[in-house]
Amino acid sequence: MTGFITDGTQGALRGLSNFVTGFTGGPSAAIMNTLSEVARSLGASAPTTKGGTPGVFRQAVSNSFIIYGKRRAGGLLIFFHPLGKEFRYFVIAVAGHRCKGVTRWWLGEEEVTVDGAGKVTSGRYANKGWLWFSRGTDDQVAHPTFVAETQGKWTASHRGQGTALIYAKFQMSDEVVQAGMPNITAEVEGKDDILDPRTDTRGYTRNAALVFYDWLALAREEGGFGAYPDEIDDDWVAAQANVCDEMVDTPAGQERRYEFDSYIQTGAAPSEVRDTFVTCCAGAFTYSGGKMLLRPGYYVPPSATLKEDDLAGPITVPALLAGDQMSNEVTGTYIEPTLYQPSDVPTRSLDATDIRQTSYDLPHVTSIYRGQRILEIYLRKAQAERRVSWPMNIMGIAISTLDTVQLATARYGLSNYVFQTVGWGLSQDFSVALQLEEHNAEMFEFTTGMYAAVGEVGDLVPADPIADTVASAGSAGSVTDGTTTYTPAQIKTLEERLNALEQAP
């Protein structure tokens, strides 16, 4: 880690080389076991809403982190230095890239204010704590306070270029000692060198399409997908970015259709990370014509009409969807933007006696209204049950995955619907097998009256009144509870049994 901070990646590699060389005189099994432990420690899962806000942690070997948009984050504790009994110094690696900056600070679960000099001015640590953020620029220098006060432990060579860092200093008063070391987190505005092909400029953005393609172009060793430059169509990216920038009405005002606020560990499987992005914009992804194509969820009018004259075989129209494709109730979880904790999106459902539920995890979504729109799209897609297998002759080569088409056929009333191409396959006889799914504008229509308020529940149907079961006096000393009548002799017997039970040891 010291090699990384002082000399970048080359320093880290030299440190690993020296570490392995130190074992060359011993059993090779020791080397393999150690490297195996390192590999296991670097494993990471795709982004998820589970686990809450990432805090400060200590670990010998760790993945780096990527932040897009705005997220609350802690990071890897890479430096700690006590100065006598009075001061404590901490350095935390937040992200492995340059960030725009910090907008809010937390010490523990308490949001605090910080002045221009870095001093904490509110909460339990007021006037006893200092917080600074280094963005991770290429010309970044070591923090002068740490260079001057840590007795040479943090030097001018510890610049952390390309690494966003939190510097924290605490004066150990009685109040601070009693409070203990807090979990230091900040609301970070993340990566700020994202390309926008519409203007040919780089900067900070939360636009879902621009964020996705920035991650897609990022090298795999840096946590991205590793797409080649010629696999990204700038005109396509610009068109999808325009869709994501469309303004949508909500009860709280207007917001952009699709934005991402992401926290990604670099050790996660790229294909799994990609799928979370696609889910969080209700979109579809394909590799077609040598290009990586993401289309967020929106209606695309048909661009071609498929005729029966071009069929290479019989069409197939399933009567019903498979059970795992059917749902009439959709639930989901998103990251609420106040404390950045996982929270439920109001359920979207249809009236039905046979409940078929599907759940979606939305780790890149921080708007409850955007989350509801996404769930509603998935619910409506599940209700659009028409699927068609359409085998074409060589003319099918002109159709690509994600194209929207109409069918010029009177069979099964299919000409009344629009379909999206979700599968494309070339057979040995050069026929093209197309898989089509129903696609319509109604899937993506949403008005402000359709949103469910936070915490809103359905109307309760009053239950039937419970029958009065209190015992009442009957005739001739008998007693009834509404269903059974007891004679005086029966009542006396019951009383004797109760008294016997009460007196029993």
Side-chain angles (χ1 to χ4, degrees), residues 60-206:
V61 181
S62 172
N63 294 294
S64 183
F65 309 96
I66 305 172
I67 299 176
Y68 285 111
K70 189 182 293 186
R71 284 295 293 267
R72 181 182 174 187
L76 174 65
L77 181 64
I78 60 175
F79 178 80
F80 165 68
H81 179 68
L83 185 60
K85 296 183 178 180
E86 187 173 6
F87 291 100
R88 300 291 182 267
Y89 298 82
F90 304 89
V91 181
I92 301 161
V94 178
H97 56 78
R98 190 180 74 192
C99 294
K100 182 182 178 182
V102 164
T103 54
R104 291 193 288 167
W105 291 96
W106 286 267
L107 293 176
E109 292 304 314
E110 182 180 31
E111 184 176 352
V112 299
T113 56
V114 178
D115 66 16
K119 179 181 286 188
V120 177
T121 57
S122 67
R124 291 178 295 175
Y125 300 90
N127 302 314
K128 301 296 181 182
W130 292 261
L131 300 170
W132 301 276
F133 185 74
S134 291
R135 296 174 51 222
T137 58
D138 292 336
D139 59 352
Q140 185 165 283
V141 299
H143 198 281
T145 299
F146 277 59
V147 174
E149 298 181 7
T150 58
Q151 301 173 318
K153 302 298 183 181
W154 191 269
T155 70
S157 298
H158 293 81
R159 301 172 64 180
Q161 294 168 308
T163 305
L165 302 173
I166 289 176
Y167 290 90
K169 171 186 172 183
F170 295 95
Q171 186 174 6
M172 304 303 289
S173 65
D174 292 341
E175 294 80 5
V176 171
V177 171
Q178 291 175 2
M181 178 188 171
N183 185 30
I184 305 167
T185 56
E187 183 181 68
V188 180
E189 291 183 316
K191 209 166 185 288
D192 71 342
D193 59 353
I194 300 171
L195 175 65
D196 188 340
R198 298 172 295 181
T199 59
D200 197 29
T201 58
R202 291 184 178 272
Y204 169 82
T205 182
R206 299 168 65 199

Side-chain angles (χ1 to χ4, degrees), residues 17 55 95 182 188-189 221 248 287 293 309 319 327 346 364 389 397 439 470 478:
S17 175
V188 180
E189 291 183 316
E221 58 267 26
V248 179
Y287 184 79
L293 303 178
D309 295 342
S327 63
H364 308 290
S389 296
I397 292 179
H439 182 75
V470 178
S478 63

